Amino acid sequence: MFRARTKRLVCSVAVITAIPFAIFFLDSLNVGLNFLKGDHSELSPKVMIVGDDRPVGVDESILEEKRVEDEKAEPDMMEPEPLSVTCRNDRKCNPTRSGMFNVHIVPHSHNDVGWKKTADQYYTGRGGGNAASFYDGAECSHCILDNVIPQLLKDPARRFIYVEMAFFSRWFNEQDLTTRRAVRKLVAQGRLQFVTGGWSVSDSATTYYDDIINQHTLGFQWIQKELGECAMSNIGWHIDQFGHSREHSSLFAQMGFDAIFLGRIDFQDHARRIQSRDMETVWMTSPRNLGNSLFTSILYDGYFSPANLAWERRSPSASKRIQKIEAKALINLAVKWAESYKSSHVLIPVGGDFAFRSARYWYEALDRLIATVNAEQKFGSVVHALYSTPSCYINSVNKESVKFSTMSTDFLPYSTIPNTFWTGFFTSRPGLKRHVKVASSLLQTCEMLAVLARLTRVGRDVTLLKKAVSLLQHHDAITGTEKQHVTDDYNRMLSEGERACQYVISTAYRKLLTQKTRNLPTQHFCNHLNISVCHMTETADKVFVTVFNPLGQSASQWIRLPVTVHHFIITGPKSQATEAQIVPLTESTLRIPERGIKKPRVDVVFEAKLPPFGFAVYTLETDDDATLIPPKEEIGTGRYYVTNQYLSLTVDPRTGVTQTLRNKEIGVDIKMEQRYLYYLSSVGQTRDPEGRTGGVLGSHKRTSGAYAFVPKEFSRPVPLKGPNSTGVKIHAYKGPNVQEIRQEFSPWISQVIRLYNGAPYLELEWTVGPIPENMQGTKEVISRFTTDLSTNGMFYTDSNGRETIPRRRNYRETWSLNVTSPVSGNYYPVTARMFLRDEERNIQLTVLTDRCQGGSSLSDGQMELMVHRRTFKDDDLGVEEPLNERGEDGRGLVLRGKHYVFLSTIDKAAREYRALGLQIHHPPTVSFMQPDPPTTNHLVTSFSGLRNPLPFNVHLLTLDQTPGDPDTLILRLENFMEVGEAGEDEEEATVTLQFLFSKFDITTVRELSLGGNHNITRVRRLMWNTTDGTTTRGTLASADSRDVHSPPFSILLRPMEIRTFRVTTGPSAKPYSDNDV
């Protein structure tokens, strides 16, 4: 939703009081020529509208003849030409005028799939419950489409763009055959165009890259099925995101997009670009690895219609005088905006949030406006207005061969006014952020097992979770910037989708776990294992634990299950004995309200060793002769430590916090103090109802809320020093599988530091909440690492889980930063990892996260991650509700999560943390089955879906059935290492596809763009000239890319490269041999 429109132009406001207009100067044409040469300076004062009584507009009879000719000339269906990303869409654009200044008017409607209302409420227009309306009940997506389509059919010159395929697909499926045919005709003729084309408009900062790819693929598949390949978008339309990541735009480039439009960038950057005519740039989106780029156009004043040029629920005036005033406003506005762009084209969006429900008013007004503006060409005007779309505008700009600047970082963090940065949403609603991650991981398992089991009737169940996860990528969903009842609805969608996919997984296991019968018991899932709740392990005497590994390499996973007895044995595949350890639950676990009244007070911990892309079955069975109780160790007077083959960590018994960390394998030591603190919020300022600066939201300083992180001025975060401020309370447990140090920082913050046997990392499991309500004081909780590393103001964060971006404190690449918020202005989204480097000592300290969190390094050798936040005031940025999650018992939400800590040399760090990072974000899926003799007597206890493991740097990113054809699959392989992260002889990897899988062979391979919607070699991207003398690439294909590959289908993967294929499958020539119990 639009919440931060910048200051409106003075000239637009002055239109209302305009007096009789001056006649155009006689040298207007000369001014036009100067404009086309790049000189806009003289145009603004000279382009005016005559104020006499001469008729305005064009000859209607001529216009009607032209429209009839256009209708005859335009095809009724998609063009049969060879397909590419652009599909010759420039042929479907209204003509521009050479030698003129062209004003591209783009009608659009921004339809959030949830924010103040749920997605269903926004689509239907219904309210109810807490569904507060932004426009007094006017939001209704299906109403908008019901009204726009008939208006487009009335005039072939009219245009409209739509973005959210979740809404459009629902509307289209509700229409009769006649309406569907009309829509297909509009799309084929370019009168209705889709931009972006994803299921939702995903957030840039907090999303993970595979979810971004998948949600766009879902939208593309629907477009291709119903409307054809040439209906696909080649434009990103990110007009409402609160900052923009580099990796998201890199993914767009890999999908074949020509450009992206941005609606929000930092106000300092915006002002600099306005002044320097740099509102369009070539974004180098993978400068070190792929070398791709994306042309980037920044909207001058957001995505709402300019002032006085909006007709929602307002009929257009029939007065010629008013029409001329509106035309003058458009011309003057366009000319002013053009001073900040380099070409002879300017794009003006008309519409806004849920606009065009009054489509007839809009189009009638815009028809007259365009006619009035263009009629002035008879009197020397050099301005030409036309209905347009983002792709038509981009094509026009590209033809002028202008040279554009380049940039290689991102548009984060984002601020609209001094002292208020939109960096709180990096962490907001951490429970929802985690739920999205868990659901996404389950979805991948669901898709893969459906392929391995060759299931044919589960498409609807898989799609239910696909749609939920895709919808949750929306920039008012995973961001946590929606109202509480909308969050509840999002969680409901995810849970329903999870249940559907759990059914698919259970069905798949009935085929994969045995060849003897199809009547195996149902698989059960324990969705609350993170808080030690699992009914089956708590009550059954014997249970089969099936663990599926979605990665292409073998994996080791430590499994923790709640049990009520201390005597049992665990056996693995082929009845191998597995060492188990009992660990008492923490006091903070026992207090979690969502646990209810549960008997278990211990977890059993064991290591599951998993084959690549396959599963292993473990048996948990009670045994009176097997009793495991680990010794409890209290902290003494000296330093306490935990140690294994790789790491050693010491804790200061006086303070109760960590003291030193050592990597024993390579002999690296650092001082490391890790503790929890919280920021108090600024009280902010009250909005001045008479204020005229800062746009519709005003320029007053905010307090922290769902969007903004605004810490209290001149105040340091408050450290938590134990229950009575006498030191963090600690005690420990040691056993053969895991050593634990338990810390209590306060009654509402605790942590368990775990060091597993053979693990090269520390696991820090934090439990935070309920954040106290005392004095309604906002608290934003951080985990801070303080070390003796020399970092010189630098730290590093990932971009959407893929490439790493260097960050420098108090610095921006594209402008000289005026530091107004030294804390929140240095916060960045951390979706996967953050690290510090000491170049001189060749040391790197890396922290991995299990969901997106805000993070920063505010002092050398220090980094912090925000894990939880609770606010009691709204930040006045739009949602109109404090971020006050009350939890199960109403006292406040309790959150639990994990950080993973690596200490290594710089050259070896990536190989370690990237492999574990994949396992964190794509963890094994654990399910449970009770014995049911004789059907469970002959289980396949170990299975790999691969004949050989994938190379260490290759990720099986996607393996999914195509809609309606289970024998045709979408396959994505990714080299997940960056240039320089592996040895030169290991940077690239080759995978041969023909006999890769154990259950089937691959018979044909067609290579596609990243979105799976275009043949790779047919993609033709617009090429752009840059001020540094380079020209961007016009293709996606690499040297060895082919539309159709030949057996044995050997695929080369370069660093950070993702390659996408549509493959057909057949019976395996070498049948896989099952391993029975």
Side-chain angles (χ1 to χ4, degrees):
M1 306 296 282
F2 187 75
R3 291 166 286 276
R5 195 183 315 174
T6 56
K7 181 180 179 182
R8 292 298 182 192
L9 298 174
V10 174
C11 64
S12 297
V13 177
V15 166
I16 301 301
T17 58
I19 58 179
F21 310 116
I23 300 177
F24 283 105
F25 287 87
L26 295 178
D27 61 345
S28 292
L29 292 177
N30 183 52
V31 172
L33 294 175
N34 289 337
F35 175 86
L36 295 175
K37 295 176 182 177
D39 181 8
H40 302 177
S41 60
E42 296 185 43
L43 189 60
S44 181
K46 295 186 177 183
V47 179
M48 304 290 289
I49 297 183
V50 295
D52 59 14
D53 294 328
R54 286 176 291 181
V56 296
V58 296
D59 189 320
E60 290 296 330
S61 62
I62 296 176
L63 182 60
E64 183 60 30
E65 289 176 6
K66 182 179 183 304
R67 289 173 181 168
V68 172
E69 291 174 0
D70 289 343
E71 285 279 6
K72 292 179 179 178
E74 293 186 84
D76 188 60
M77 295 302 290
M78 270 58 73
E79 299 177 19
E81 62 188 339
L83 301 179
S84 67
V85 170
T86 52
C87 281
R88 306 293 295 276
N89 277 333
D90 54 324
R91 292 181 175 180
K92 303 170 185 177
C93 300
N94 285 318
T96 57
R97 293 287 299 274
S98 178
M100 310 264 315
F101 168 43
N102 294 278
V103 181
H104 295 249
I105 296 174
V106 178
H108 77 103
S109 184
H110 179 65
N111 291 191
D112 283 310
V113 291
W115 181 41
K116 289 187 172 183
K117 293 183 179 181
T118 67
D120 184 70
Q121 289 168 337
Y122 275 141
Y123 177 78
T124 62
R126 294 192 295 267
N130 296 319
S133 174
F134 195 58
Y135 289 125
D136 301 321
E139 308 99 325
C140 177
S141 292
H142 88 82
C143 305
I144 292 165
L145 292 168
D146 286 345
N147 286 287
V148 165
I149 299 304
Q151 294 303 313
L152 290 177
L153 292 169
K154 289 182 179 180
D155 187 339
R158 292 174 174 176
R159 296 290 185 270
F160 191 74
I161 63 170
Y162 202 80
V163 186
E164 299 83 4
M165 301 317 302
F167 281 164
F168 191 89
S169 62
R170 178 175 175 179
W171 176 86
F172 186 87
N173 293 336
E174 293 171 353
Q175 304 310 303
D176 58 27
L177 185 59
T178 300
T179 303
R180 293 188 186 190
R181 286 174 176 166
V183 169
R184 291 190 176 105
K185 179 178 179 179
L186 291 171
V187 171
Q189 296 172 350
R191 293 151 67 182
L192 173 63
Q193 290 189 14
F194 300 108
V195 289
T196 307
W199 202 246
S200 64
V201 184
S202 50
D203 179 57
S204 282
T206 61
T207 44
Y208 197 69
Y209 72 97
D210 59 348
D211 295 326
I212 297 170
I213 296 168
N214 292 338
Q215 80 98 353
H216 285 92
T217 299
L218 182 62
F220 296 164
Q221 287 176 337
W222 186 90
I223 293 172
Q224 188 155 12
K225 174 178 177 288
E226 296 292 349
L227 303 170
E229 184 176 4
C230 277
M232 298 291 179
S233 174
N234 63 330
I235 299 293
W237 187 250
H238 275 203
I239 56 173
D240 195 30
Q241 283 83 343
F242 327 125
H244 310 276
S245 73
R246 190 177 75 185
E247 184 61 37
H248 200 306
S249 291
S250 176
L251 298 177
F252 277 164
Q254 295 169 66
M255 292 175 186
F257 280 26
D258 283 324
I260 186 172
F261 287 82
L262 308 182
R264 299 172 181 269
I265 66 171
D266 187 276
F267 76 100
Q268 292 185 40
D269 192 16
H270 189 274
R272 194 272 305 173
R273 291 179 180 275
I274 288 284
Q275 181 130 17
S276 59
R277 293 182 63 202
D278 197 28
M279 292 293 280
E280 292 176 327
T281 187
V282 176
W283 195 351
M284 312 310 292
T285 50
S286 182
R288 292 183 60 247
N289 298 292
L290 304 176
N292 60 30
S293 62
L294 189 66
F295 183 78
T296 302
S297 183
I298 300 161
L299 299 181
Y300 189 98
D301 195 19
Y303 63 87
F304 268 58
S305 291
N308 308 312
L309 297 178
W311 293 274
E312 194 64 45
R313 294 185 290 178
R314 179 173 74 88
S315 61
S317 173
S319 165
K320 294 292 182 68
R321 183 182 68 84
I322 297 298
Q323 292 170 18
K324 287 186 177 183
I325 289 175
E326 292 171 344
K328 177 191 174 184
L330 176 67
I331 289 175
N332 289 347
L333 192 67
V335 169
K336 180 174 179 62
W337 289 12
E339 294 173 358
S340 299
Y341 298 82
K342 292 183 177 180
S343 77
S344 61
H345 301 268
V346 66
L347 182 148
I348 296 184
V350 292
D353 291 343
F354 296 95
F356 276 81
R357 184 171 181 176
S358 306
R360 180 170 66 87
Y361 290 165
W362 280 95
Y363 281 112
E364 288 178 356
L366 290 171
D367 288 346
R368 294 174 185 174
L369 179 64
I370 292 171
T372 304
V373 169
N374 293 343
E376 295 305 322
Q377 296 168 16
K378 299 177 183 178
F379 310 110
S381 169
V382 295
V383 175
H384 178 69
L386 64 150
Y387 281 113
S388 190
T389 64
S391 61
C392 290
Y393 169 80
I394 289 297
N395 282 328
S396 297
V397 173
N398 181 260
K399 290 175 182 177
E400 296 196 359
S401 300
V402 177
K403 292 184 177 181
F404 297 94
S405 66
T406 63
M407 61 170 285
S408 60
T409 183
D410 52 21
F411 292 92
L412 290 165
Y414 165 65
S415 178
T416 51
I417 56 174
N419 307 312
T420 300
F421 277 84
W422 298 45
T423 52
F425 80 93
F426 300 159
T427 299
S428 293
R429 299 194 189 277
L432 179 66
K433 285 179 168 63
R434 181 60 185 162
H435 195 179
V436 173
K437 293 300 305 177
V438 171
S440 174
S441 174
L442 183 71
L443 173 60
Q444 186 186 51
T445 295
C446 179
E447 294 169 346
M448 290 177 166
L449 284 175
V451 169
L452 289 175
R454 316 292 280 170
L455 301 183
T456 59
R457 298 180 181 178
V458 295
R460 181 174 297 181
D461 297 289
V462 178
T463 300
L464 188 64
L465 187 53
K466 278 186 183 179
K467 289 181 177 180
V469 173
S470 295
L471 195 82
L472 264 290
Q473 306 311 308
H474 166 54
H475 57 273
D476 276 314
I478 192 172
T479 54
T481 53
E482 66 281 352
K483 284 183 176 291
Q484 182 62 51
H485 79 281
V486 180
T487 297
D488 296 340
D489 191 59
Y490 286 148
N491 279 313
R492 176 194 59 79
M493 291 183 198
L494 291 173
S495 296
E496 289 178 356
E498 287 171 318
R499 286 192 291 272
C501 256
Q502 288 167 355
Y503 162 78
V504 173
I505 293 170
S506 184
T507 304
Y509 277 142
R510 284 188 173 129
K511 297 183 69 173
L512 295 172
L513 280 171
T514 179
Q515 299 298 319
K516 309 293 184 182
T517 179
R518 292 292 183 267
N519 297 317
L520 286 177
T522 299
Q523 295 283 325
H524 294 268
F525 296 83
C526 295
N527 298 325
H528 297 101
L529 278 177
N530 66 319
I531 57 173
S532 297
V533 174
C534 181
H535 178 74
M536 184 164 286
T537 63
E538 295 165 18
T539 58
D541 291 331
K542 182 178 181 180
V543 62
F544 294 113
V545 183
T546 308
V547 189
F548 176 78
N549 171 27
L551 303 181
Q553 300 80 21
S554 58
S556 172
Q557 181 77 6
W558 289 99
I559 306 295
R560 303 177 69 94
L561 303 175
V563 292
T564 55
V565 297
H566 294 190
H567 43 273
F568 49 80
I569 58 172
I570 295 178
T571 55
K574 299 181 181 180
S575 301
Q576 292 179 337
T578 301
E579 186 165 29
Q581 176 186 342
I582 290 292
V583 179
L585 300 185
T586 64
E587 289 300 317
S588 61
T589 299
L590 298 175
R591 292 196 301 263
I592 294 175
E594 285 77 5
R595 278 178 51 84
I597 301 174
K598 295 289 180 180
K599 291 170 56 179
R601 301 184 67 87
V602 295
D603 278 340
V604 60
V605 181
F606 66 93
E607 182 181 21
K609 296 181 178 180
L610 308 174
F613 190 51
F615 61 79
V617 179
Y618 286 79
T619 305
L620 175 65
E621 187 172 10
T622 59
D623 186 332
D624 291 339
D625 296 328
T627 301
L628 300 172
I629 303 176
K632 178 177 179 181
E633 292 195 16
E634 297 291 347
I635 299 300
T637 57
R639 290 189 306 173
Y640 186 77
Y641 68 92
V642 290
T643 185
N644 69 1
Q645 302 93 315
Y646 298 100
L647 297 177
S648 178
L649 176 77
T650 63
V651 175
D652 185 340
R654 181 180 57 84
T655 62
V657 299
T658 60
Q659 200 167 37
T660 64
L661 178 62
R662 174 178 174 79
N663 185 317
K664 298 162 61 176
E665 186 180 33
I666 58 178
V668 170
D669 294 84
I670 64 170
K671 296 178 181 178
M672 187 189 78
E673 179 187 277
Q674 183 269 337
R675 63 167 64 245
Y676 288 87
L677 310 89
Y678 62 84
Y679 287 99
L680 296 172
S681 174
S682 168
V683 296
Q685 297 172 330
T686 304
R687 176 192 292 267
D688 179 4
E690 304 299 324
R692 293 293 181 266
T693 60
V696 295
L697 293 178
S699 59
H700 56 294
K701 184 176 181 178
R702 302 312 209 273
T703 186
S704 286
Y707 303 95
F709 167 38
V710 192
K712 187 176 181 181
E713 302 83 351
F714 314 112
S715 175
R716 295 179 181 274
V718 179
L720 292 156
K721 300 180 180 180
N724 300 309
S725 298
T726 57
V728 175
K729 182 180 177 182
I730 55 176
H731 58 275
Y733 290 91
K734 280 190 176 182
N737 288 345
V738 64
Q739 303 169 57
E740 294 187 353
I741 298 177
R742 301 182 175 188
Q743 301 166 294
E744 186 178 348
F745 290 85
S746 80
W748 51 279
I749 296 183
S750 63
Q751 178 172 268
V752 180
I753 301 173
R754 296 192 179 105
L755 184 59
Y756 287 101
N757 182 35
Y761 60 87
L762 292 172
E763 178 185 289
L764 277 56
E765 184 182 72
W766 46 268
T767 303
V768 179
I771 297 176
E773 291 187 74
N774 53 306
M775 301 182 67
Q776 294 285 293
T778 289
K779 293 181 177 64
E780 300 172 90
V781 182
I782 62 169
S783 173
R784 175 177 284 178
F785 298 79
T786 302
T787 75
D788 59 349
L789 298 178
S790 178
T791 54
N792 298 316
M794 297 294 297
F795 59 105
Y796 302 80
T797 68
D798 70 282
S799 183
N800 301 107
R802 284 259 291 166
E803 295 190 18
T804 300
I805 298 184
R807 309 293 188 184
R808 181 178 298 168
R809 193 163 53 251
N810 296 329
Y811 173 81
R812 302 292 188 269
E813 178 190 33
T814 56
W815 82 94
S816 179
L817 176 67
N818 176 25
V819 179
T820 59
S821 300
V823 176
S824 60
N826 282 302
Y827 257 62
Y828 292 89
V830 180
T831 51
R833 65 189 172 275
M834 180 179 179
F835 58 81
L836 300 175
R837 280 179 174 171
D838 188 324
E839 301 281 353
E840 188 173 328
R841 295 166 61 189
N842 188 27
I843 298 176
Q844 179 169 317
L845 180 69
T846 306
V847 179
L848 309 185
T849 65
D850 64 355
R851 73 203 78 187
C852 184
Q853 295 170 339
S856 186
S857 174
L858 302 178
S859 299
D860 278 2
Q862 190 181 88
M863 61 178 161
E864 64 189 53
L865 290 158
M866 185 177 291
V867 297
H868 196 4
R869 57 200 308 262
R870 185 181 189 184
T871 76
F872 299 98
K873 293 183 180 179
D874 176 51
D875 54 20
D876 199 17
L877 291 172
V879 75
E880 297 181 320
E881 183 177 280
L883 185 66
N884 183 14
E885 299 182 276
R886 305 202 67 86
E888 181 80 8
D889 61 359
R891 297 175 55 242
L893 191 63
V894 179
L895 262 296
R896 172 167 286 177
K898 294 179 181 179
H899 291 149
Y900 303 82
V901 181
F902 282 90
L903 178 65
S904 184
T905 57
I906 294 173
D907 55 316
K908 294 183 178 180
R911 186 159 182 163
E912 293 181 344
Y913 73 67
R914 283 196 180 273
L916 180 63
L918 281 181
Q919 195 166 330
I920 292 170
H921 293 276
H922 303 279
T925 298
V926 182
S927 58
F928 305 89
M929 183 176 65
Q930 286 185 311
D932 184 23
T935 59
T936 57
N937 288 350
H938 300 284
L939 296 179
V940 176
T941 59
S942 181
F943 165 82
S944 176
L946 299 177
R947 296 191 182 278
N948 295 291
L950 292 176
F952 80 94
N953 53 351
V954 174
H955 176 36
L956 180 58
L957 182 61
T958 305
L959 186 67
D960 188 21
Q961 298 174 346
T962 58
D965 186 358
D967 292 325
T968 301
L969 311 176
I970 294 294
L971 169 66
R972 288 190 183 93
L973 295 173
E974 172 195 17
N975 183 333
F976 58 83
M977 302 288 283
E978 293 194 56
V979 170
E981 290 185 342
E984 288 187 14
D985 57 340
E986 296 180 309
E987 281 199 336
E988 297 181 348
T990 299
V991 179
T992 301
L993 302 182
Q994 186 172 13
F995 303 117
L996 177 63
F997 296 98
S998 62
K999 281 289 189 179
F1000 53 85
D1001 291 343
I1002 291 179
T1003 55
T1004 67
V1005 175
R1006 179 177 294 273
E1007 188 165 1
L1008 307 174
S1009 57
L1010 181 61
N1013 56 333
H1014 299 292
N1015 291 341
I1016 188 72
T1017 65
R1018 296 187 181 184
V1019 174
R1020 294 293 181 268
R1021 300 182 66 211
L1022 297 180
M1023 300 168 66
W1024 302 92
N1025 299 319
T1026 69
T1027 54
D1028 58 14
T1030 61
T1031 300
T1032 63
R1033 290 171 49 196
T1035 62
L1036 292 182
S1038 54
D1040 57 331
S1041 293
R1042 304 285 186 274
D1043 279 348
V1044 179
H1045 287 260
S1046 300
F1049 315 124
S1050 292
I1051 305 301
L1052 178 66
L1053 292 161
R1054 299 164 186 84
M1056 279 288 112
E1057 187 174 26
I1058 301 174
R1059 297 183 70 173
T1060 304
F1061 308 94
R1062 180 183 291 117
V1063 303
T1064 58
T1065 61
S1068 175
K1070 303 175 183 178
Y1072 182 79
S1073 177
D1074 293 327
N1075 297 311
D1076 291 344
V1077 173

